[in-house]
Amino acid sequence: MEAGAPPQFTLRQLAYFVAAAETGSTTQAAAQFVMTQSAMSAALYDLERAVGTQLLVRYRGRGLELTASGRALVPRARELLRAADDLQGAGGGARRRTHRSTVHRMLRRHESFASSAAAGRIVATLPRTSRRPGFRDPG
C-alpha cells in the first residue's frame, strides 16, 4: 500500500474478524452483530483479499482456525479497534457515545441475540440519554 493511501478494509471487517477469532465460528460471530453467517463469511473473505493473505481456515460445520497470519493480525486489529473507539469518544467531548456503539456493546454482552427482532427489543430498552442527539422516538 502506498504511503497515505487509505486501507482497503474497514474497521467493521476488523471487528468481524476479531469476533470470529474469539468465537471460533462465523455463525457465532455473526450472531454478535445480528447478521447472517453468509454475510459474515463474505466480509471475512473481503478482508482476506484486502490484506492479501488467508487469515482463517474454515471447517464446514466445525468452526474455524486462525492461520499464522490470522494469529498475528488479532492483536493488531484489537489495537486498531481500541484506538478507533478512543478517537470516537474524544470527538464528542463529554457527550455520550452514539446509539450504534451502545447497541454494539449490548450485543457483545448478549451473544444469544441472533435476530433483528431481538436487536429491536434491545434498542427499545436503551435509556433515552444513550440515544443519538436529535433521535425521535416513534412511540
Side-chain angles (χ1 to χ4, degrees), residues 25-114:
S25 163
T26 55
T27 301
Q28 290 177 15
Q32 290 182 8
F33 290 93
V34 191
M35 62 191 296
T36 65
Q37 181 275 332
S38 60
M40 173 64 71
S41 290
L44 293 172
Y45 278 118
D46 289 346
L47 175 62
E48 288 175 320
R49 277 197 303 272
V51 298
T53 189
Q54 184 177 6
L55 302 170
L56 306 161
V57 177
R58 294 142 178 95
Y59 299 103
R60 191 172 192 95
R62 296 189 326 253
L64 56 86
E65 183 180 333
L66 294 171
T67 64
S69 296
R71 287 189 299 277
L73 182 61
V74 169
R76 296 179 71 192
R78 285 186 181 129
E79 182 181 328
L80 279 170
L81 292 168
R82 273 193 297 275
D85 194 45
D86 291 346
L87 182 61
Q88 180 177 324
R95 214 168 18 160
R96 291 183 179 263
R97 294 188 189 275
T98 65
H99 167 73
R100 191 156 105 184
S101 64
T102 301
V103 171
H104 176 72
R105 282 194 313 276
M106 289 183 76
L107 288 173
R108 295 284 295 187
R109 285 188 205 131
H110 302 286
E111 296 176 11
S112 64
F113 289 106

Side-chain angles (χ1 to χ4, degrees), residues 2-16:
E2 296 176 25
Q8 299 300 306
F9 57 85
T10 66
L11 291 173
R12 184 175 306 231
Q13 287 171 315
L14 290 178
Y16 294 167

